[in-house]
Structures are given as C-alpha cells and as structure tokens.
Amino acid sequence: MHSDRSALTIERRSLAVGVLDAANVDGEATLRLTIQIESAGAHLVAPFASDALIIVTTTRVGLTAEVRKIAMLAHAAGVSHLVLAVLRSSSDDLQPNAFDTLTRGFDTMMRRLNFVSAAIIPIDNASDKAAAVSGAHILRRDQALANYLVTLPRPSPLHTSQLDPSPPSEHFAAHVACLTSREELLPGREYRLRIGSLEQPATITAIKHRLDTETLQRLPARTLSHGEIGVCTVATHPAIRLAPDSLGAARFEIWGEQTDEPVAAGTVDFALRRGQNVHWQELSVAKPLRSSMKAQRPCIVWFTGISGAGKSTIANLVESALAANGRHTYLLDGDNVRHGLNKDLGFTAADRVENIRRVGEVARLFVDAGLIVLCSFISPFRAERAAVRGLLDDGEFIEIHVTAPLAVCEQRDPKGLYAKCRAGKLPNFTGIDSPYEAPENPDLILETATAPADELAQKVISLLAARGMIAARD
C-alpha cells in the first residue's frame, strides 16, 4: 500500500492555488486562508499561474468591478477553478439574505465564464458551509475551503509526448490577458512562450480586439495594457503541437526576454490553418554562393541612436566608401522606408515595433542575397534590435551606437523635429517624451560630438575589415 501511494504522488502534483485580495482583509484572516490551503495539500503560487484562484471579498465589498475583472483575467489566463471566499470579521455579520444575494450575483457572473468549477464559500468561525455553482460540490464540514480544495483534481505534469498528435502549427488564435504593469503587450515584439514543458520564441502577430471586462463587448485595440484581455493571433518558431482540451496544453505564458515575471498569460482557442500549410521552399542558389560571387561576407551594420546623432550621415559615408571599393551594399534609412514599405505606420510604441520588424525582415533578405546592409534607424527598443539579430547567423549583425548629448542633437535639429516636439506638435518623440534604450554591449560606439563624421565612418570600415566582412585593403 505504501508503494502504491508513493507512485500516485509521483504521477500527480499538488494543486497550485493563487490568492487575490479584493477586500483588503486583515492579516489574521489571510493567515487562516493560507493554513486552510496548505491543509488541503495545495501550494501557493502566483495568482494567474494557478490551477485554482481564490478571490477574497466580504459581503460589504461584494462583487465589485475589480472582482469581476479578476475573474475575467483568470479565465483568459487558463485558470481552471475559481473560488470566491467571503470572509467575515467581528464587525461584519454574514446575514443569510446578504450571502444569498452575493451567491446569485456570482452565479450570474459564472454563467458568462466557462471555468471547470466555481464556488462561493463563506469563511468564518461560525459558518462552515460552502455554496457551489457551475458544477462544484456542496460541502458542510469544518474547514470549508480546505474541504472544497481537496475535491478538485490534481493535474498531472504535462510532457511534450502528451501533446496532441495533430500536425504542428506555427500560428494559433488565443485569448490573452496582460498581467504586468511594467510594459504593454506589443504585436511584432519577440517574446518567450511557455506552453506545457516547452519554451520557445513567439510573437503576437495581431491583436484582433480587446474585451470589455464588464460587458464582454469587443473594443478596438492595437496593444494590451495591464489588466486587459485581448483576442490575439500568436506565431511560434518552430511549429508546435496544440491540444486545446488536453491536460492543460491549451494554457501558456508569455515572458519578455529580460523579465522575471510573465508579461501575459492565455489559452489557445484553435490552430490557424495557414500555420500548418506554409512550408519553406528549398532553393538551389543560397547565401554562400551569392556572397562568394561578391567576394564579401554579408552582414547587417545597424546604426542606432536618437534623432540628430548623425546615423544617416555616417551610414551614407560608409556606403560610399564601400561602393568605391566595389562592395555590394544597400542602405535602409528610417525616413526613406516610411515613404513606401512603412508609410502606414505612425510613431506609437506598437508602430515602432512593427517598423523595425519589417525592416529586419527586408534586411535579412538582403543579407541572404549576399549584401552588406547598412540600416540607419533610431530603433529605440533593445528587444526589437535583438529580434533582428536573432534573424541572422552568428556574427552577421553589427550594432553601432551613434551618440551625442541631447543638447547637441537638439541644437543640430536637421529636420526641425525637436522644435516641433518642444512646441507640443510632435508627440512620442524619442529622447523627449518617448524612451530610448541605448545598446548595452554595442560592437562600436561613435561619439559624433567629439570627432568628424568621415573619421568615424572609417572606424566602421576598419571594423568590417577586422571582422572579415571585407578585405583589409578596403
């Protein structure tokens, strides 16, 4: 018997329970809740990473907009079980009619959300009964919360082998809840996707709309902020197998490249067919042959810096010098691509992400063609510059920080942009009211306030020669 119980323990993990306080309850009540959770053989985790979420309220607080919003976020994040723990204190008598009213409101709310189970449980020293809705059991014993939690199924660990054997897909539709207040969830930015036992790169390719947490009405949205829920399409590379109804495989988390908490969490709605039917076509002529024909190693030389720092000036000088020596190049400039390829984009954070994503894909094609590609873009976010680097082979992305003091850039103001910004006519301007994230480890730093542009351009040429992209004579 002992060995059988041990085997069961290995196969099934303890229930992961999260707690969110919507009523500012006192510490003693919170401690009592924690003790009951642990006595049920469960363990505490971050709220939206839990199997079961407990929302703490009182009859006086009731079903506030915040409680309803938390329930919506939990549902979108894939929480299976929801418990509304209604605490009483010495100054708060739990009247039968008040609790019944709360129960009816909770029941109505749960009809709109498809949790595996949902229960409303009064927690106090005098009452131990649990009122349950949406298929949950009714309990009438001591430690109502603990007794309810022990009835919930303990999920088994999910392994890659347990995922659906259906064809893998690179795209799927999902409901996604933004969990962090640190940053918006931006389409086009590369994140890390955790689903089951897998972790791999992923991108939100589109936010179709967001959901009003009160009315469930579809609202237009281009990004998701803290506490917002959106219907999105997600792209992964490589393709993954999805099983929306199997062992929690439908549930995932989205992490930033340098964050210590998930940016968002969500549930898979369905795989998109285009993610299953698009395949790479093998071609006879590839990058090594194209670059050997040009007697150079292709790469991207990425010039980043705030407006007026001198990026375009130096990039143009570098290309002129390379062309004079018979090198095959192409210069992509931030302003120029906005006249054509990116003419539909503005300067919001989401548009800036998409701007660099598109440019990165074009530059990658030019590298595949064997060219040395010079890219001159403010590119204010490290994440997008890192994403472009990730498109290439090792050593093919050279990041150059072109820098000058803000006062110098503003004094130069070659396009009159700083003047417009200071006059309130140009919002979201990098360096003034929109952030610029300087490279942490650039391949080269060019300080344009202390050296002439042609001298700095020669430093770039020397770097290319040192890296073996061009012959040393260049």
Side-chain angles (χ1 to χ4, degrees), residues 211-334:
L211 299 176
D212 185 287
T213 54
E214 286 292 312
T215 65
L216 296 183
Q217 179 183 359
R218 297 179 177 184
L219 302 174
R222 297 200 59 196
T223 65
L224 293 180
S225 300
H226 179 231
E228 292 183 339
I229 300 167
V231 175
C232 307
T233 56
V234 182
T236 66
H237 183 73
I240 59 175
R241 300 181 188 275
L242 302 169
D245 299 318
S246 172
L247 299 170
R251 188 175 180 182
F252 61 86
E253 291 180 342
I254 294 173
W255 292 67
E257 286 300 320
Q258 319 221 334
T259 56
D260 55 2
E261 63 179 359
V263 177
T267 51
V268 176
D269 294 333
F270 51 84
L272 297 172
R273 290 191 177 184
R274 65 177 179 270
Q276 299 173 343
N277 298 327
V278 178
H279 306 280
W280 280 103
Q281 175 65 45
E282 294 296 329
L283 304 175
S284 300
V285 179
K287 180 170 60 178
L289 177 57
R290 298 187 189 105
S291 59
S292 66
M293 293 167 61
K294 298 174 177 62
Q296 63 186 36
R297 285 181 58 197
C299 65
I300 291 177
V301 183
W302 192 278
F303 298 88
T304 177
I306 63 175
S307 181
K311 301 180 300 298
S312 295
T313 298
I314 295 174
N316 191 49
L317 288 171
V318 171
E319 185 178 37
S320 296
L322 291 174
N325 283 280
R327 298 305 167 195
H328 298 257
T329 65
Y330 197 85
L331 172 54
L332 292 169
D333 182 81

Side-chain angles (χ1 to χ4, degrees), residues 394-421:
D394 289 344
E396 290 183 342
F397 184 87
I398 298 174
E399 186 177 39
I400 298 178
H401 185 199
V402 183
T403 181
L406 178 61
V408 173
C409 295
E410 191 164 356
Q411 184 179 14
R412 292 172 179 166
D413 203 10
K415 301 167 188 174
L417 301 179
Y418 285 98
K420 288 183 180 179
C421 179

Side-chain angles (χ1 to χ4, degrees), residues 3-17:
S3 60
D4 290 341
R5 286 196 296 271
S6 298
L8 185 65
T9 302
I10 293 172
E11 292 173 2
R12 298 165 69 84
R13 64 178 174 84
S14 64
L15 191 73
V17 177

